Amino acid sequence: MTTQLQYARDGTVTPAMRRVAERENVSVEFVREEVANGHAVIPANREHASLDPMILGEAFSTKVNANIGNSEETSSREEELRKLHTAIHHGADTVMDLSTGPNLDEVREANVRYSPVPLGTVPIYEAVKRADSVADITPELLLDVIRKQARQGVDYMTIHAGVLMEHLPLTDGRTTGIVSRGGSILAKWMEENRIQNPLYTRFEDVCEVFAAYDVTFSLGDGLRPGCLADAGDDAQYAELETLGELVDVARDHGVQVMVEGPGHVPLDMVAEQVDREREVCDGAPFYLLGPLVTDVAPGYDHITSAIGATEAARAGAAMLCYVTPKEHLGLPDADDVRDGLAAYRIAAHAGDVAAGLPGARDWDDALSEARYAFDWRRQFELSLHPARAQAAHDQTLPGDNYKEARFCSMCGVEFCSMRIDQDARSGEGGMQEIADETDLDASPAAEVNLPPVGTHDTSRVPELPAFLRELHESGDGGRANADD
């Protein structure tokens, strides 16, 4: 079987490449070239029948991933599907199923079946569930889990193959040690078995599985810093060097590959981290968790991390993994998913505007024009979360007559600056009237930089279960396009 990378190298344009070119508003040939040189990936397992393909790469719009998943303590298949569709509705470009609780296969298969966006997993979690203890995990068990998840249609997998035995002593002086679940599991496995990381020693076997289904590597940062004090230390950068070597191995096998990054990083180090990954990993797309730029705000870490994520996007990150308000505190629910995605859609969009992506600011300009014109309905329509914007306005001025008003409750009639400015411009003075109008239909922006976010081709998604249909009808769980 041929992967997107192999097709691109051979000069063949695939349907997936055509679709992402349409979504990014760029030429198909540009997409093919970026995939061919490994600077972009299209995670698209050929077994994922409901997928609407998307692309990750520095040259394209910044994407956002949402982590969902159950645990031993909470959540069901129904709740996970609710989280999935809440994430998609609010603009997730990919979703990772990080389930560690019961019914892993049932949850994963349902997510693949009903997701139009790429789905990622961390297969070592299932390996831990299937073994009697971490030490009892075998390379064969790991490969068996990876093969099964590939057959189920998973589009990309986090593989912590860069955590090596020789790196572990470098973590001894850290403040928070090893904070990656996958990294800590493999560190414990190596300590107890006294042999090298099996995902590293059997990496070429994993490549063969991935090539057979066109699964994309997301090379995990198992030694990422878990606090500002550990950012940029020898352990983190030693693993990164190994990941750079594995990028070459994956590409030699015709397998698409991206690289994961930290974590907790001071704001002044964020761009440096992106630049270093780009150099060490030969431009492989960089996928960052956050990064969180301060450690002092549990309960608000969707904000602390969105600050770092904005800078990472500006510097060239391909995808941002959202952080919810529950980070470090508990398993997120559907409301946390919504709030985390709002923060990260803002971060990704702001980064694209700052990086000068063609048309990225057109959405901002269109909303600003509606705001100046007191076109309240258009403002709501263009908002990242229209219902939330309207609810905030209507809390104090709910009547339909206020949708035509030239003021809001913050300033009132007398002190509304825009009304005062408009009146001055319409008088006999020297200021000209403003009549700009941004045509979003003609914008060169990618889909994720135009409203509404969270619009996907859902024509290949099977009929939804009743509770998800109700979620859609309520306006809380999904946007459909013309194909739906």
Side-chain angles (χ1 to χ4, degrees), residues 150-448:
R151 287 195 302 268
Q152 289 173 320
V154 172
D155 300 288
Y156 66 97
M157 299 186 202
T158 294
I159 303 295
H160 298 90
V163 182
L164 304 184
M165 289 185 69
E166 52 267 36
H167 299 160
L168 302 185
L170 300 176
T171 68
D172 289 345
R174 283 184 156 188
T175 298
T176 54
I178 300 175
V179 299
S180 158
R181 287 195 295 200
S184 64
I185 290 166
L186 286 161
K188 180 177 177 64
W189 189 93
M190 288 185 280
E191 284 288 304
E192 296 195 10
N193 289 289
R194 310 307 302 169
I195 52 177
Q196 189 58 276
N197 181 350
L199 290 174
Y200 178 79
T201 58
R202 302 291 294 273
F203 188 76
E204 292 192 85
D205 293 331
V206 180
C207 287
E208 291 180 6
V209 175
F210 280 21
Y213 293 90
D214 201 1
V215 177
T216 299
F217 272 109
S218 187
L219 292 177
D221 53 340
L223 300 181
R224 65 175 178 267
C227 62
L228 301 191
D230 296 340
D233 68 358
D234 290 344
Q236 180 196 349
Y237 286 150
E239 181 188 23
L240 182 62
E241 292 293 330
T242 303
L243 297 182
E245 298 169 6
L246 296 175
V247 165
D248 292 338
V249 177
R251 289 173 176 171
D252 287 345
H253 284 75
V255 178
Q256 301 182 97
V257 57
M258 58 184 170
V259 176
E260 297 182 15
H264 292 241
V265 177
L267 184 60
D268 61 301
M269 290 179 61
V270 173
E272 168 193 324
Q273 295 262 336
V274 177
D275 291 342
R276 188 163 186 150
E277 185 277 342
R278 181 188 295 113
E279 179 181 355
V280 171
C281 299
D282 190 29
F286 200 20
Y287 164 30
L288 289 95
L289 173 67
L292 288 77
V293 296
T294 180
D295 298 332
V296 301
Y300 297 95
D301 278 336
H302 60 311
I303 299 173
T304 63
S305 61
I307 294 169
T310 303
E311 175 65 0
R314 185 201 63 80
M319 184 161 72
L320 309 170
C321 183
Y322 86 160
V323 172
T324 78
K326 287 276 183 62
E327 184 75 9
H328 303 112
L329 302 173
L331 189 72
D333 60 19
D335 287 341
D336 298 312
V337 169
R338 179 201 64 204
D339 291 346
L341 274 163
Y344 271 71
R345 283 262 56 105
I346 294 167
H349 178 72
D352 286 347
V353 171
L357 262 67
R361 207 191 69 192
D362 288 350
W363 182 2
D364 303 78
D365 293 346
L367 193 145
S368 296
E369 291 156 11
R371 178 174 291 147
Y372 186 76
F374 294 104
D375 188 342
W376 294 103
R377 291 183 176 85
R378 181 65 170 159
Q379 284 188 64
F380 304 151
E381 177 187 331
L382 290 174
S383 296
L384 184 71
H385 194 325
R388 188 180 182 93
Q390 181 166 349
H393 172 273
D394 291 358
Q395 185 174 4
T396 50
L397 299 174
D400 284 346
N401 57 308
Y402 290 115
K403 303 299 188 297
E404 313 298 331
R406 296 174 67 209
F407 64 92
C408 72
S409 63
M410 182 174 182
C411 296
V413 179
E414 184 177 358
F415 287 98
C416 179
S417 59
M418 288 188 182
R419 181 196 61 76
I420 294 169
D421 183 76
Q422 285 180 3
D423 290 347
R425 290 178 186 277
S426 64
E428 299 298 326
M431 293 193 299
Q432 295 181 350
E433 291 192 52
I434 298 172
D436 292 333
E437 184 174 355
T438 300
D439 183 0
L440 291 184
D441 290 337
S443 174
E447 279 189 8
V448 300

Side-chain angles (χ1 to χ4, degrees), residues 457-476:
D457 179 359
T458 58
S459 60
R460 291 178 295 278
V461 176
E463 182 178 357
L464 298 177
F467 75 93
L468 283 182
R469 291 199 300 274
E470 293 169 3
L471 195 65
H472 281 238
E473 291 164 3
S474 72
D476 292 330

